[in-house]
mmCIF file of all heavy atoms in Angstrom:
data_model
loop_
_atom_site.group_PDB
_atom_site.id
_atom_site.type_symbol
_atom_site.label_atom_id
_atom_site.label_comp_id
_atom_site.label_asym_id
_atom_site.label_seq_id
_atom_site.Cartn_x
_atom_site.Cartn_y
_atom_site.Cartn_z
ATOM 1 N N MET A 1 -0.933 16.094 12.829
ATOM 2 C CA MET A 1 -0.790 15.068 11.791
ATOM 3 C C MET A 1 0.412 14.151 12.058
ATOM 4 O O MET A 1 0.279 12.949 11.908
ATOM 5 C CB MET A 1 -0.733 15.733 10.451
ATOM 6 C CG MET A 1 -0.613 14.757 9.282
ATOM 7 S SD MET A 1 -2.214 14.176 8.823
ATOM 8 C CE MET A 1 -1.868 13.617 7.214
ATOM 9 N N THR A 2 1.536 14.744 12.425
ATOM 10 C CA THR A 2 2.706 13.906 12.683
ATOM 11 C C THR A 2 2.474 12.951 13.875
ATOM 12 O O THR A 2 2.980 11.870 13.879
ATOM 13 C CB THR A 2 3.935 14.803 12.927
ATOM 14 O OG1 THR A 2 4.101 15.676 11.852
ATOM 15 C CG2 THR A 2 5.160 14.028 13.124
ATOM 16 N N GLU A 3 1.755 13.445 14.819
ATOM 17 C CA GLU A 3 1.506 12.570 16.003
ATOM 18 C C GLU A 3 0.799 11.318 15.573
ATOM 19 O O GLU A 3 1.074 10.186 16.099
ATOM 20 C CB GLU A 3 0.620 13.298 17.080
ATOM 21 C CG GLU A 3 1.219 14.615 17.493
ATOM 22 C CD GLU A 3 0.885 15.804 16.620
ATOM 23 O OE1 GLU A 3 -0.262 15.851 16.064
ATOM 24 O OE2 GLU A 3 1.739 16.677 16.471
ATOM 25 N N GLN A 4 -0.116 11.398 14.660
ATOM 26 C CA GLN A 4 -0.847 10.174 14.168
ATOM 27 C C GLN A 4 0.071 9.232 13.483
ATOM 28 O O GLN A 4 -0.020 8.028 13.611
ATOM 29 C CB GLN A 4 -1.971 10.613 13.260
ATOM 30 C CG GLN A 4 -3.283 10.520 13.823
ATOM 31 C CD GLN A 4 -4.403 10.732 12.811
ATOM 32 O OE1 GLN A 4 -4.221 11.492 11.820
ATOM 33 N NE2 GLN A 4 -5.558 10.179 13.028
ATOM 34 N N LEU A 5 1.015 9.764 12.663
ATOM 35 C CA LEU A 5 1.911 8.962 11.894
ATOM 36 C C LEU A 5 2.784 8.045 12.820
ATOM 37 O O LEU A 5 3.004 6.890 12.485
ATOM 38 C CB LEU A 5 2.849 9.799 11.049
ATOM 39 C CG LEU A 5 3.846 9.079 10.145
ATOM 40 C CD1 LEU A 5 3.153 8.257 9.091
ATOM 41 C CD2 LEU A 5 4.784 10.119 9.475
ATOM 42 N N PHE A 6 3.145 8.517 13.894
ATOM 43 C CA PHE A 6 4.006 7.782 14.843
ATOM 44 C C PHE A 6 3.286 7.140 16.010
ATOM 45 O O PHE A 6 3.935 6.631 16.936
ATOM 46 C CB PHE A 6 5.147 8.672 15.322
ATOM 47 C CG PHE A 6 6.041 9.040 14.161
ATOM 48 C CD1 PHE A 6 6.045 10.362 13.668
ATOM 49 C CD2 PHE A 6 6.927 8.167 13.601
ATOM 50 C CE1 PHE A 6 6.831 10.738 12.598
ATOM 51 C CE2 PHE A 6 7.762 8.502 12.520
ATOM 52 C CZ PHE A 6 7.724 9.767 12.052
ATOM 53 N N SER A 7 1.926 7.136 15.939
ATOM 54 C CA SER A 7 1.179 6.466 16.947
ATOM 55 C C SER A 7 0.941 4.979 16.574
ATOM 56 O O SER A 7 0.867 4.686 15.404
ATOM 57 C CB SER A 7 -0.114 7.182 17.164
ATOM 58 O OG SER A 7 -0.962 7.100 16.045
ATOM 59 N N PRO A 8 0.717 4.111 17.567
ATOM 60 C CA PRO A 8 0.476 2.704 17.233
ATOM 61 C C PRO A 8 -0.823 2.549 16.477
ATOM 62 O O PRO A 8 -1.681 3.383 16.520
ATOM 63 C CB PRO A 8 0.303 2.063 18.679
ATOM 64 C CG PRO A 8 0.993 2.975 19.582
ATOM 65 C CD PRO A 8 0.855 4.388 19.014
ATOM 66 N N TYR A 9 -0.910 1.466 15.734
ATOM 67 C CA TYR A 9 -2.083 1.167 14.972
ATOM 68 C C TYR A 9 -2.386 -0.359 15.015
ATOM 69 O O TYR A 9 -1.517 -1.133 14.931
ATOM 70 C CB TYR A 9 -1.792 1.516 13.485
ATOM 71 C CG TYR A 9 -2.951 1.362 12.541
ATOM 72 C CD1 TYR A 9 -3.993 2.232 12.584
ATOM 73 C CD2 TYR A 9 -3.039 0.296 11.665
ATOM 74 C CE1 TYR A 9 -5.136 2.083 11.793
ATOM 75 C CE2 TYR A 9 -4.156 0.098 10.856
ATOM 76 C CZ TYR A 9 -5.209 1.023 10.933
ATOM 77 O OH TYR A 9 -6.297 0.863 10.102
ATOM 78 N N GLN A 10 -3.662 -0.632 15.234
ATOM 79 C CA GLN A 10 -4.150 -2.012 15.293
ATOM 80 C C GLN A 10 -4.904 -2.353 14.038
ATOM 81 O O GLN A 10 -5.847 -1.637 13.695
ATOM 82 C CB GLN A 10 -5.035 -2.150 16.508
ATOM 83 C CG GLN A 10 -5.570 -3.566 16.710
ATOM 84 C CD GLN A 10 -4.604 -4.488 17.395
ATOM 85 O OE1 GLN A 10 -3.779 -4.030 18.189
ATOM 86 N NE2 GLN A 10 -4.585 -5.768 17.039
ATOM 87 N N PHE A 11 -4.475 -3.378 13.340
ATOM 88 C CA PHE A 11 -5.157 -3.871 12.121
ATOM 89 C C PHE A 11 -5.441 -5.320 12.404
ATOM 90 O O PHE A 11 -4.610 -6.165 12.284
ATOM 91 C CB PHE A 11 -4.259 -3.695 10.928
ATOM 92 C CG PHE A 11 -4.900 -4.145 9.671
ATOM 93 C CD1 PHE A 11 -5.860 -3.381 9.019
ATOM 94 C CD2 PHE A 11 -4.517 -5.338 9.046
ATOM 95 C CE1 PHE A 11 -6.481 -3.810 7.849
ATOM 96 C CE2 PHE A 11 -5.115 -5.788 7.872
ATOM 97 C CZ PHE A 11 -6.090 -4.933 7.258
ATOM 98 N N LYS A 12 -6.697 -5.582 12.710
ATOM 99 C CA LYS A 12 -7.161 -6.910 13.132
ATOM 100 C C LYS A 12 -6.284 -7.398 14.205
ATOM 101 O O LYS A 12 -6.208 -6.790 15.295
ATOM 102 C CB LYS A 12 -7.255 -7.871 11.954
ATOM 103 C CG LYS A 12 -8.293 -7.386 10.968
ATOM 104 C CD LYS A 12 -8.624 -8.442 9.902
ATOM 105 C CE LYS A 12 -9.645 -7.977 8.936
ATOM 106 N NZ LYS A 12 -10.095 -8.968 8.052
ATOM 107 N N SER A 13 -5.550 -8.504 14.034
ATOM 108 C CA SER A 13 -4.707 -9.018 15.104
ATOM 109 C C SER A 13 -3.243 -8.507 15.010
ATOM 110 O O SER A 13 -2.405 -8.900 15.829
ATOM 111 C CB SER A 13 -4.681 -10.520 15.102
ATOM 112 O OG SER A 13 -4.151 -10.997 13.876
ATOM 113 N N LEU A 14 -3.000 -7.654 14.103
ATOM 114 C CA LEU A 14 -1.632 -7.136 13.818
ATOM 115 C C LEU A 14 -1.495 -5.774 14.490
ATOM 116 O O LEU A 14 -2.232 -4.851 14.206
ATOM 117 C CB LEU A 14 -1.372 -7.007 12.333
ATOM 118 C CG LEU A 14 -0.015 -6.442 11.911
ATOM 119 C CD1 LEU A 14 1.078 -7.428 12.370
ATOM 120 C CD2 LEU A 14 0.024 -6.213 10.408
ATOM 121 N N GLN A 15 -0.511 -5.650 15.426
ATOM 122 C CA GLN A 15 -0.264 -4.445 16.132
ATOM 123 C C GLN A 15 0.989 -3.855 15.547
ATOM 124 O O GLN A 15 2.030 -4.435 15.644
ATOM 125 C CB GLN A 15 -0.141 -4.712 17.674
ATOM 126 C CG GLN A 15 0.311 -3.489 18.453
ATOM 127 C CD GLN A 15 -0.803 -2.439 18.552
ATOM 128 O OE1 GLN A 15 -1.933 -2.795 18.668
ATOM 129 N NE2 GLN A 15 -0.429 -1.161 18.498
ATOM 130 N N LEU A 16 0.812 -2.609 15.032
ATOM 131 C CA LEU A 16 1.985 -1.903 14.520
ATOM 132 C C LEU A 16 2.477 -0.840 15.461
ATOM 133 O O LEU A 16 1.641 -0.222 16.136
ATOM 134 C CB LEU A 16 1.702 -1.223 13.163
ATOM 135 C CG LEU A 16 1.126 -2.110 12.053
ATOM 136 C CD1 LEU A 16 0.828 -1.280 10.830
ATOM 137 C CD2 LEU A 16 2.171 -3.157 11.696
ATOM 138 N N ASN A 17 3.787 -0.635 15.575
ATOM 139 C CA ASN A 17 4.330 0.406 16.507
ATOM 140 C C ASN A 17 4.038 1.818 16.006
ATOM 141 O O ASN A 17 3.952 2.732 16.781
ATOM 142 C CB ASN A 17 5.782 0.210 16.680
ATOM 143 C CG ASN A 17 6.131 -1.019 17.475
ATOM 144 O OD1 ASN A 17 5.341 -1.521 18.248
ATOM 145 N ND2 ASN A 17 7.327 -1.569 17.271
ATOM 146 N N ASN A 18 3.898 1.942 14.714
ATOM 147 C CA ASN A 18 3.560 3.259 14.112
ATOM 148 C C ASN A 18 2.908 2.973 12.744
ATOM 149 O O ASN A 18 2.693 1.841 12.326
ATOM 150 C CB ASN A 18 4.836 4.109 13.929
ATOM 151 C CG ASN A 18 5.868 3.395 13.105
ATOM 152 O OD1 ASN A 18 5.684 3.024 12.012
ATOM 153 N ND2 ASN A 18 7.069 3.309 13.718
ATOM 154 N N ARG A 19 2.556 4.106 12.024
ATOM 155 C CA ARG A 19 1.873 3.930 10.792
ATOM 156 C C ARG A 19 2.756 4.112 9.536
ATOM 157 O O ARG A 19 2.277 4.341 8.438
ATOM 158 C CB ARG A 19 0.727 4.958 10.704
ATOM 159 C CG ARG A 19 -0.269 4.714 11.819
ATOM 160 C CD ARG A 19 -1.157 5.893 12.073
ATOM 161 N NE ARG A 19 -1.930 5.700 13.262
ATOM 162 C CZ ARG A 19 -3.223 5.836 13.320
ATOM 163 N NH1 ARG A 19 -3.948 6.121 12.250
ATOM 164 N NH2 ARG A 19 -3.876 5.633 14.474
ATOM 165 N N VAL A 20 4.049 4.004 9.798
ATOM 166 C CA VAL A 20 5.030 4.110 8.672
ATOM 167 C C VAL A 20 5.090 2.829 7.962
ATOM 168 O O VAL A 20 5.404 1.768 8.539
ATOM 169 C CB VAL A 20 6.415 4.551 9.153
ATOM 170 C CG1 VAL A 20 7.405 4.584 8.063
ATOM 171 C CG2 VAL A 20 6.358 5.872 9.923
ATOM 172 N N VAL A 21 4.792 2.808 6.649
ATOM 173 C CA VAL A 21 4.780 1.543 5.887
ATOM 174 C C VAL A 21 5.715 1.710 4.690
ATOM 175 O O VAL A 21 5.698 2.704 4.008
ATOM 176 C CB VAL A 21 3.288 1.268 5.338
ATOM 177 C CG1 VAL A 21 3.286 0.046 4.457
ATOM 178 C CG2 VAL A 21 2.301 1.098 6.496
ATOM 179 N N MET A 22 6.533 0.692 4.506
ATOM 180 C CA MET A 22 7.432 0.645 3.419
ATOM 181 C C MET A 22 6.864 -0.249 2.293
ATOM 182 O O MET A 22 6.607 -1.457 2.556
ATOM 183 C CB MET A 22 8.801 0.087 3.806
ATOM 184 C CG MET A 22 9.837 0.070 2.718
ATOM 185 S SD MET A 22 11.375 -0.499 3.390
ATOM 186 C CE MET A 22 11.908 -1.582 2.053
ATOM 187 N N ALA A 23 6.527 0.339 1.187
ATOM 188 C CA ALA A 23 5.925 -0.445 0.092
ATOM 189 C C ALA A 23 6.938 -1.389 -0.524
ATOM 190 O O ALA A 23 8.129 -1.202 -0.452
ATOM 191 C CB ALA A 23 5.438 0.538 -0.977
ATOM 192 N N PRO A 24 6.427 -2.464 -1.217
ATOM 193 C CA PRO A 24 7.391 -3.366 -1.909
ATOM 194 C C PRO A 24 8.094 -2.614 -3.006
ATOM 195 O O PRO A 24 7.533 -1.797 -3.722
ATOM 196 C CB PRO A 24 6.489 -4.493 -2.464
ATOM 197 C CG PRO A 24 5.111 -3.880 -2.496
ATOM 198 C CD PRO A 24 5.080 -2.836 -1.422
ATOM 199 N N MET A 25 9.409 -2.900 -3.140
ATOM 200 C CA MET A 25 10.180 -2.266 -4.153
ATOM 201 C C MET A 25 10.878 -3.292 -4.968
ATOM 202 O O MET A 25 11.252 -4.361 -4.490
ATOM 203 C CB MET A 25 11.223 -1.350 -3.481
ATOM 204 C CG MET A 25 10.563 -0.181 -2.762
ATOM 205 S SD MET A 25 11.812 0.949 -2.133
ATOM 206 C CE MET A 25 12.259 0.147 -0.637
ATOM 207 N N CYS A 26 11.187 -2.979 -6.227
ATOM 208 C CA CYS A 26 11.910 -3.906 -7.110
ATOM 209 C C CYS A 26 13.398 -3.752 -6.805
ATOM 210 O O CYS A 26 13.966 -2.669 -6.950
ATOM 211 C CB CYS A 26 11.664 -3.528 -8.545
ATOM 212 S SG CYS A 26 9.961 -3.807 -9.108
ATOM 213 N N GLN A 27 13.966 -4.781 -6.253
ATOM 214 C CA GLN A 27 15.374 -4.785 -5.910
ATOM 215 C C GLN A 27 16.057 -5.874 -6.797
ATOM 216 O O GLN A 27 15.944 -7.041 -6.518
ATOM 217 C CB GLN A 27 15.556 -5.106 -4.420
ATOM 218 C CG GLN A 27 14.889 -4.154 -3.506
ATOM 219 C CD GLN A 27 15.495 -2.737 -3.568
ATOM 220 O OE1 GLN A 27 16.631 -2.515 -3.940
ATOM 221 N NE2 GLN A 27 14.686 -1.721 -3.226
ATOM 222 N N TYR A 28 16.661 -5.457 -7.837
ATOM 223 C CA TYR A 28 17.197 -6.375 -8.863
ATOM 224 C C TYR A 28 18.567 -6.861 -8.543
ATOM 225 O O TYR A 28 19.475 -6.863 -9.361
ATOM 226 C CB TYR A 28 17.177 -5.696 -10.225
ATOM 227 C CG TYR A 28 15.750 -5.288 -10.646
ATOM 228 C CD1 TYR A 28 15.421 -3.954 -10.642
ATOM 229 C CD2 TYR A 28 14.848 -6.249 -11.052
ATOM 230 C CE1 TYR A 28 14.125 -3.568 -11.047
ATOM 231 C CE2 TYR A 28 13.549 -5.883 -11.408
ATOM 232 C CZ TYR A 28 13.222 -4.578 -11.392
ATOM 233 O OH TYR A 28 11.964 -4.173 -11.796
ATOM 234 N N SER A 29 18.829 -7.223 -7.313
ATOM 235 C CA SER A 29 20.150 -7.722 -7.010
ATOM 236 C C SER A 29 20.197 -9.188 -6.587
ATOM 237 O O SER A 29 21.147 -9.593 -6.036
ATOM 238 C CB SER A 29 20.706 -6.880 -5.834
ATOM 239 O OG SER A 29 19.861 -6.939 -4.672
ATOM 240 N N VAL A 30 19.165 -9.969 -6.909
ATOM 241 C CA VAL A 30 19.254 -11.395 -6.713
ATOM 242 C C VAL A 30 20.187 -11.957 -7.710
ATOM 243 O O VAL A 30 20.295 -11.517 -8.858
ATOM 244 C CB VAL A 30 17.918 -12.091 -6.785
ATOM 245 C CG1 VAL A 30 16.980 -11.650 -5.630
ATOM 246 C CG2 VAL A 30 17.210 -11.866 -8.097
ATOM 247 N N THR A 31 21.060 -12.893 -7.249
ATOM 248 C CA THR A 31 22.048 -13.434 -8.123
ATOM 249 C C THR A 31 21.641 -14.840 -8.732
ATOM 250 O O THR A 31 22.122 -15.174 -9.780
ATOM 251 C CB THR A 31 23.386 -13.577 -7.440
ATOM 252 O OG1 THR A 31 23.174 -14.388 -6.227
ATOM 253 C CG2 THR A 31 23.962 -12.239 -7.042
ATOM 254 N N ALA A 32 20.736 -15.494 -8.020
ATOM 255 C CA ALA A 32 20.337 -16.835 -8.502
ATOM 256 C C ALA A 32 19.208 -16.724 -9.472
ATOM 257 O O ALA A 32 18.375 -15.725 -9.445
ATOM 258 C CB ALA A 32 19.860 -17.679 -7.290
ATOM 259 N N LYS A 33 19.139 -17.597 -10.401
ATOM 260 C CA LYS A 33 18.040 -17.551 -11.412
ATOM 261 C C LYS A 33 16.654 -17.803 -10.807
ATOM 262 O O LYS A 33 15.652 -17.422 -11.373
ATOM 263 C CB LYS A 33 18.301 -18.627 -12.476
ATOM 264 C CG LYS A 33 19.502 -18.341 -13.350
ATOM 265 C CD LYS A 33 19.728 -19.348 -14.401
ATOM 266 C CE LYS A 33 20.913 -18.997 -15.246
ATOM 267 N NZ LYS A 33 21.136 -20.009 -16.302
ATOM 268 N N ASP A 34 16.637 -18.431 -9.657
ATOM 269 C CA ASP A 34 15.353 -18.683 -8.953
ATOM 270 C C ASP A 34 14.847 -17.505 -8.158
ATOM 271 O O ASP A 34 13.718 -17.596 -7.646
ATOM 272 C CB ASP A 34 15.408 -19.951 -8.133
ATOM 273 C CG ASP A 34 16.537 -19.836 -7.103
ATOM 274 O OD1 ASP A 34 17.119 -18.832 -6.899
ATOM 275 O OD2 ASP A 34 16.787 -20.948 -6.457
ATOM 276 N N GLY A 35 15.555 -16.423 -8.116
ATOM 277 C CA GLY A 35 15.100 -15.188 -7.440
ATOM 278 C C GLY A 35 15.115 -15.214 -5.964
ATOM 279 O O GLY A 35 14.433 -14.449 -5.324
ATOM 280 N N ILE A 36 15.920 -16.062 -5.335
ATOM 281 C CA ILE A 36 16.019 -16.125 -3.871
ATOM 282 C C ILE A 36 16.775 -14.952 -3.401
ATOM 283 O O ILE A 36 17.915 -14.578 -3.924
ATOM 284 C CB ILE A 36 16.688 -17.448 -3.422
ATOM 285 C CG1 ILE A 36 15.839 -18.636 -3.824
ATOM 286 C CG2 ILE A 36 17.012 -17.429 -1.957
ATOM 287 C CD1 ILE A 36 16.461 -19.973 -3.537
ATOM 288 N N PRO A 37 16.278 -14.217 -2.379
ATOM 289 C CA PRO A 37 16.997 -13.045 -1.818
ATOM 290 C C PRO A 37 18.337 -13.463 -1.234
ATOM 291 O O PRO A 37 18.508 -14.613 -0.831
ATOM 292 C CB PRO A 37 16.068 -12.586 -0.694
ATOM 293 C CG PRO A 37 14.705 -13.192 -0.972
ATOM 294 C CD PRO A 37 14.951 -14.412 -1.735
ATOM 295 N N ASN A 38 19.283 -12.552 -1.224
ATOM 296 C CA ASN A 38 20.591 -12.853 -0.772
ATOM 297 C C ASN A 38 20.884 -11.922 0.483
ATOM 298 O O ASN A 38 20.018 -11.263 1.009
ATOM 299 C CB ASN A 38 21.617 -12.647 -1.832
ATOM 300 C CG ASN A 38 21.597 -11.302 -2.468
ATOM 301 O OD1 ASN A 38 21.343 -10.274 -1.782
ATOM 302 N ND2 ASN A 38 21.752 -11.224 -3.782
ATOM 303 N N ASP A 39 22.193 -11.886 0.888
ATOM 304 C CA ASP A 39 22.536 -11.128 2.059
ATOM 305 C C ASP A 39 22.243 -9.628 1.897
ATOM 306 O O ASP A 39 21.924 -8.986 2.894
ATOM 307 C CB ASP A 39 24.046 -11.300 2.319
ATOM 308 C CG ASP A 39 24.370 -12.742 2.776
ATOM 309 O OD1 ASP A 39 23.486 -13.429 3.281
ATOM 310 O OD2 ASP A 39 25.586 -13.117 2.707
ATOM 311 N N TRP A 40 22.328 -9.099 0.724
ATOM 312 C CA TRP A 40 22.030 -7.706 0.466
ATOM 313 C C TRP A 40 20.623 -7.378 0.844
ATOM 314 O O TRP A 40 20.355 -6.402 1.533
ATOM 315 C CB TRP A 40 22.223 -7.339 -1.015
ATOM 316 C CG TRP A 40 22.017 -5.892 -1.281
ATOM 317 C CD1 TRP A 40 22.950 -4.921 -1.235
ATOM 318 C CD2 TRP A 40 20.818 -5.280 -1.620
ATOM 319 N NE1 TRP A 40 22.426 -3.727 -1.535
ATOM 320 C CE2 TRP A 40 21.042 -3.915 -1.728
ATOM 321 C CE3 TRP A 40 19.484 -5.685 -1.773
ATOM 322 C CZ2 TRP A 40 20.064 -2.954 -2.035
ATOM 323 C CZ3 TRP A 40 18.517 -4.835 -2.004
ATOM 324 C CH2 TRP A 40 18.761 -3.425 -2.194
ATOM 325 N N HIS A 41 19.681 -8.265 0.532
ATOM 326 C CA HIS A 41 18.279 -8.073 0.944
ATOM 327 C C HIS A 41 18.112 -8.079 2.412
ATOM 328 O O HIS A 41 17.343 -7.224 2.973
ATOM 329 C CB HIS A 41 17.379 -9.103 0.271
ATOM 330 C CG HIS A 41 17.337 -8.988 -1.242
ATOM 331 N ND1 HIS A 41 18.245 -9.661 -2.071
ATOM 332 C CD2 HIS A 41 16.546 -8.217 -2.043
ATOM 333 C CE1 HIS A 41 17.976 -9.331 -3.323
ATOM 334 N NE2 HIS A 41 16.976 -8.466 -3.316
ATOM 335 N N GLN A 42 18.769 -9.005 3.066
ATOM 336 C CA GLN A 42 18.627 -9.110 4.526
ATOM 337 C C GLN A 42 19.109 -7.771 5.143
ATOM 338 O O GLN A 42 18.418 -7.198 6.008
ATOM 339 C CB GLN A 42 19.454 -10.265 5.095
ATOM 340 C CG GLN A 42 19.316 -10.299 6.599
ATOM 341 C CD GLN A 42 20.119 -11.486 7.144
ATOM 342 O OE1 GLN A 42 20.780 -12.229 6.472
ATOM 343 N NE2 GLN A 42 20.065 -11.634 8.441
ATOM 344 N N VAL A 43 20.252 -7.246 4.771
ATOM 345 C CA VAL A 43 20.772 -5.971 5.300
ATOM 346 C C VAL A 43 19.812 -4.856 4.982
ATOM 347 O O VAL A 43 19.500 -3.978 5.788
ATOM 348 C CB VAL A 43 22.160 -5.665 4.757
ATOM 349 C CG1 VAL A 43 22.609 -4.292 5.083
ATOM 350 C CG2 VAL A 43 23.186 -6.729 5.243
ATOM 351 N N HIS A 44 19.300 -4.846 3.753
ATOM 352 C CA HIS A 44 18.366 -3.756 3.339
ATOM 353 C C HIS A 44 17.085 -3.693 4.150
ATOM 354 O O HIS A 44 16.746 -2.627 4.695
ATOM 355 C CB HIS A 44 18.070 -3.978 1.848
ATOM 356 C CG HIS A 44 17.024 -3.013 1.302
ATOM 357 N ND1 HIS A 44 17.327 -1.738 0.992
ATOM 358 C CD2 HIS A 44 15.738 -3.121 0.966
ATOM 359 C CE1 HIS A 44 16.269 -1.092 0.604
ATOM 360 N NE2 HIS A 44 15.284 -1.947 0.505
ATOM 361 N N TYR A 45 16.415 -4.885 4.280
ATOM 362 C CA TYR A 45 15.179 -4.890 5.079
ATOM 363 C C TYR A 45 15.347 -4.769 6.522
ATOM 364 O O TYR A 45 14.553 -4.137 7.239
ATOM 365 C CB TYR A 45 14.333 -6.100 4.678
ATOM 366 C CG TYR A 45 13.792 -6.000 3.246
ATOM 367 C CD1 TYR A 45 14.191 -6.858 2.239
ATOM 368 C CD2 TYR A 45 12.833 -5.026 2.955
ATOM 369 C CE1 TYR A 45 13.683 -6.713 0.954
ATOM 370 C CE2 TYR A 45 12.317 -4.889 1.708
ATOM 371 C CZ TYR A 45 12.771 -5.727 0.694
ATOM 372 O OH TYR A 45 12.207 -5.602 -0.577
ATOM 373 N N VAL A 46 16.389 -5.392 7.081
ATOM 374 C CA VAL A 46 16.650 -5.320 8.495
ATOM 375 C C VAL A 46 16.947 -3.897 8.938
ATOM 376 O O VAL A 46 16.479 -3.405 9.937
ATOM 377 C CB VAL A 46 17.728 -6.281 8.971
ATOM 378 C CG1 VAL A 46 18.248 -6.018 10.320
ATOM 379 C CG2 VAL A 46 17.243 -7.783 8.835
ATOM 380 N N SER A 47 17.762 -3.190 8.081
ATOM 381 C CA SER A 47 18.053 -1.821 8.387
ATOM 382 C C SER A 47 16.777 -0.916 8.385
ATOM 383 O O SER A 47 16.680 -0.042 9.249
ATOM 384 C CB SER A 47 19.101 -1.224 7.487
ATOM 385 O OG SER A 47 18.564 -1.108 6.138
ATOM 386 N N ARG A 48 15.814 -1.186 7.559
ATOM 387 C CA ARG A 48 14.570 -0.462 7.599
ATOM 388 C C ARG A 48 13.748 -0.803 8.878
ATOM 389 O O ARG A 48 13.112 0.053 9.476
ATOM 390 C CB ARG A 48 13.715 -0.753 6.315
ATOM 391 C CG ARG A 48 14.107 -0.161 5.054
ATOM 392 C CD ARG A 48 15.340 0.703 5.084
ATOM 393 N NE ARG A 48 15.729 1.222 3.811
ATOM 394 C CZ ARG A 48 16.931 1.072 3.276
ATOM 395 N NH1 ARG A 48 17.802 0.214 3.842
ATOM 396 N NH2 ARG A 48 17.251 1.665 2.177
ATOM 397 N N ALA A 49 13.787 -2.103 9.292
ATOM 398 C CA ALA A 49 13.050 -2.477 10.430
ATOM 399 C C ALA A 49 13.689 -1.829 11.694
ATOM 400 O O ALA A 49 12.960 -1.347 12.547
ATOM 401 C CB ALA A 49 13.055 -3.990 10.532
ATOM 402 N N VAL A 50 14.984 -1.892 11.781
ATOM 403 C CA VAL A 50 15.704 -1.312 12.944
ATOM 404 C C VAL A 50 15.510 0.227 12.916
ATOM 405 O O VAL A 50 15.387 0.814 14.031
ATOM 406 C CB VAL A 50 17.226 -1.652 12.921
ATOM 407 C CG1 VAL A 50 17.998 -0.899 13.953
ATOM 408 C CG2 VAL A 50 17.405 -3.100 13.113
ATOM 409 N N GLY A 51 15.334 0.799 11.747
ATOM 410 C CA GLY A 51 15.093 2.248 11.678
ATOM 411 C C GLY A 51 13.740 2.694 12.133
ATOM 412 O O GLY A 51 13.504 3.886 12.235
ATOM 413 N N GLY A 52 12.876 1.762 12.396
ATOM 414 C CA GLY A 52 11.567 2.098 12.920
ATOM 415 C C GLY A 52 10.390 1.985 12.040
ATOM 416 O O GLY A 52 9.263 2.393 12.395
ATOM 417 N N THR A 53 10.541 1.410 10.849
ATOM 418 C CA THR A 53 9.377 1.205 9.976
ATOM 419 C C THR A 53 8.404 0.283 10.610
ATOM 420 O O THR A 53 8.720 -0.755 11.105
ATOM 421 C CB THR A 53 9.848 0.604 8.619
ATOM 422 O OG1 THR A 53 10.850 1.481 8.045
ATOM 423 C CG2 THR A 53 8.709 0.488 7.641
ATOM 424 N N GLY A 54 7.105 0.735 10.644
ATOM 425 C CA GLY A 54 6.046 -0.005 11.317
ATOM 426 C C GLY A 54 5.677 -1.282 10.594
ATOM 427 O O GLY A 54 5.364 -2.306 11.211
ATOM 428 N N LEU A 55 5.689 -1.253 9.248
ATOM 429 C CA LEU A 55 5.270 -2.369 8.425
ATOM 430 C C LEU A 55 6.146 -2.414 7.155
ATOM 431 O O LEU A 55 6.216 -1.370 6.512
ATOM 432 C CB LEU A 55 3.812 -2.347 8.044
ATOM 433 C CG LEU A 55 3.267 -3.471 7.183
ATOM 434 C CD1 LEU A 55 3.316 -4.833 7.856
ATOM 435 C CD2 LEU A 55 1.840 -3.161 6.754
ATOM 436 N N ILE A 56 6.694 -3.532 6.818
ATOM 437 C CA ILE A 56 7.507 -3.661 5.564
ATOM 438 C C ILE A 56 6.827 -4.708 4.724
ATOM 439 O O ILE A 56 6.677 -5.857 5.156
ATOM 440 C CB ILE A 56 8.969 -4.069 5.857
ATOM 441 C CG1 ILE A 56 9.599 -3.026 6.766
ATOM 442 C CG2 ILE A 56 9.710 -4.249 4.582
ATOM 443 C CD1 ILE A 56 10.996 -3.421 7.259
ATOM 444 N N VAL A 57 6.410 -4.325 3.532
ATOM 445 C CA VAL A 57 5.772 -5.212 2.596
ATOM 446 C C VAL A 57 6.833 -5.681 1.621
ATOM 447 O O VAL A 57 7.494 -4.847 1.028
ATOM 448 C CB VAL A 57 4.597 -4.534 1.838
ATOM 449 C CG1 VAL A 57 3.936 -5.492 0.900
ATOM 450 C CG2 VAL A 57 3.635 -3.932 2.853
ATOM 451 N N ILE A 58 7.025 -7.052 1.572
ATOM 452 C CA ILE A 58 8.031 -7.584 0.694
ATOM 453 C C ILE A 58 7.393 -8.258 -0.497
ATOM 454 O O ILE A 58 6.478 -9.029 -0.309
ATOM 455 C CB ILE A 58 8.958 -8.535 1.491
ATOM 456 C CG1 ILE A 58 9.606 -7.838 2.584
ATOM 457 C CG2 ILE A 58 9.947 -9.171 0.532
ATOM 458 C CD1 ILE A 58 10.428 -8.715 3.462
#
């Protein structure tokens, strides 16, 4: 089972390195009233991507 989780996956034209998917999460740290992500969000999502998450849904 673990072998499948870390194996590549093809979804139409999207090739994922593995099947690990990070679901969208409520991150209530935007400071602007318009809800634009800030530096905290960049660090948060980039660290997940560098950590090997196959797909990040924002």
